[in-house]
Amino acid sequence: HNLLEVRLLYKKIENYNKVLEQTVQERTGELLRANEQLSQEIEERKGAEKSLQSAYAEIKQLKDRFQAESIYLQQDIDREFNFGEIIGRSNALEQVFFRVEQVAPQDTTILLLGETGTGKGVVARAIHSRSAHKDRPMVTVNCTALPANLIESELFGREKGAFTGSDARQMGRFELADNGTLFLDEIGEMPMDLQTKLLRVIQDGEFERLGGPKTIKVNVRIIASTNRKLEEEIRKGRFREDLFYRLNVFPITIPPLRQRKEDIPLLVNYFVAKFNKKTGKKIETVSKDTLNTLQDYHWPGNVRELESIIERAVITSQGTALQVLDRFENSRKAGEQEARDDGKALGEREHDYILQVLQKTGWRIEGDTGAAVILGLNPSTLRGRMRKYGIRR
């Protein structure tokens, strides 16, 4: 009986060995096939990598070429128009170009002075693009567009729960502009209580977020602009004298368009090309009479007003010649009045011009024929100016 049991066990072991050997052979075959497939995929992957490397090299070559061409074209534009977006060759602009070249490489605080629409923002971008911070952003704060109760949190940021509705922490413009440029547009509109905090940031490079105890240090180059006479604002108690001296380290005055009328043909050509591209029109010529009419106008709204008029003209023109439908009958009288009003404060002249345009448009602010379009302002900005000057219908 025991011998029979042993015999049966040997028989089972032999059968198990056969099954095991067959299983091993099957699995080995599967592994060999998988290995072969994997080897094939590896070869395909290598081929794809080579193709990607070749494509990357080609892209890099095209990128280098594009950068070289871009630099060349920018240099070509600079040679043609001096400062890219600043269009003009007049003597009045030459002084601006000279001062920009002087101060741009430095970290000096700059104050841009000039009437509304003269291009102070364009000059600020030109300074930033020629500075050591050009690879960092230029952050703009429009002091007229922001409500007084939001300017502080926009400039310095806020912590969660700093005031009702602040359900998240927000970085301020100073933090966003760290190691870059902060452009404070229309600094004369800033409330007095914020002027003290701004003075501290300019002096010490540090501030606290609204509702936060932590002191934050930043390295920011300040460019400020204003259309007001800050000396008069100081006498009226609306602007801090110490802040003015901190901002007025290197002032640059942007001339109004009426003082550089020889630049008007260049500006017209530039704006026509710009709005041709935007609207799909093909305006190719501008008559001498049209240019003479534009040059005879006194341009109280400066370059911004000219841009708005050219945009309307491009939209409404039929054919390939620019047709300016705006009427300038009162341009001579307005120019004479402008000469008589030279002694008036800049703010008073702006008040009178806004009032004149509002009356002309029947106090319509928005729309294609509204005062905001004619003045080259956003409707909210125009309403802010009206509140500032107490202009009511």
Side-chain angles (χ1 to χ4, degrees), residues 102-110 127 131-134 179-181 202 219-223 249-250:
Q102 279 184 313
V103 76
Q106 315 301 325
D107 280 339
T108 307
T109 300
I110 299 170
I127 294 170
S131 71
H133 306 286
K134 61 184 178 182
N179 293 317
T181 303
I202 296 175
N219 175 27
V220 176
R221 201 256 184 91
I222 302 290
I223 302 177
V249 177
F250 199 94

Side-chain angles (χ1 to χ4, degrees), residues 116-284:
T116 299
T118 51
K120 298 186 289 292
V122 177
V123 175
R125 286 193 294 273
I127 294 170
H128 174 71
S129 66
R130 285 161 175 77
S131 71
H133 306 286
K134 61 184 178 182
D135 295 328
R136 296 286 300 160
M138 184 182 87
V139 179
T140 300
V141 179
N142 189 333
C143 299
T144 60
L146 291 174
N149 59 336
L150 291 181
I151 292 180
E152 183 175 3
S153 64
E154 287 293 326
L155 281 176
F156 307 115
R158 63 172 182 263
E159 295 290 346
K160 182 178 179 180
F163 53 81
T164 303
S166 60
D167 53 357
R169 191 179 76 174
Q170 176 182 309
M171 291 178 65
R173 305 290 177 92
F174 269 99
E175 285 182 82
L176 294 173
D178 192 19
N179 293 317
T181 303
L182 183 68
F183 177 43
L184 300 172
D185 194 15
E186 300 302 346
I187 188 71
E189 311 293 333
M190 182 171 287
M192 284 290 289
D193 56 337
L194 284 184
Q195 293 178 23
T196 305
K197 295 185 177 181
L198 177 61
L199 178 64
R200 180 194 169 197
V201 181
I202 296 175
Q203 287 178 334
D204 305 327
E206 59 184 34
F207 62 92
E208 291 83 30
R209 290 196 191 102
L210 195 64
K214 181 181 177 182
T215 299
I216 300 170
K217 296 190 72 68
V218 290
N219 175 27
V220 176
R221 201 256 184 91
I222 302 290
I223 302 177
S225 76
T226 182
N227 63 358
R228 295 189 178 192
K229 290 185 178 180
L230 294 183
E231 293 91 341
E232 293 185 9
E233 297 297 306
I234 292 170
R235 286 195 294 271
K236 294 176 181 178
R238 294 199 292 250
F239 201 84
R240 290 182 61 99
E241 187 174 10
D242 48 3
L243 177 59
F244 170 72
Y245 291 129
R246 281 288 178 180
L247 294 173
N248 198 41
V249 177
F250 199 94
I252 300 176
T253 301
I254 316 300
L257 187 56
R258 61 183 172 275
Q259 292 181 8
R260 56 184 190 100
K261 290 190 175 182
E262 60 268 40
D263 291 333
I264 288 178
L266 282 175
L267 287 163
V268 170
N269 290 335
Y270 175 79
F271 290 137
V272 166
K274 174 181 176 180
F275 295 119
N276 271 344
K277 185 177 180 181
K278 180 179 178 180
T279 62
K281 290 290 192 75
K282 293 184 179 179
I283 306 299
E284 298 174 356

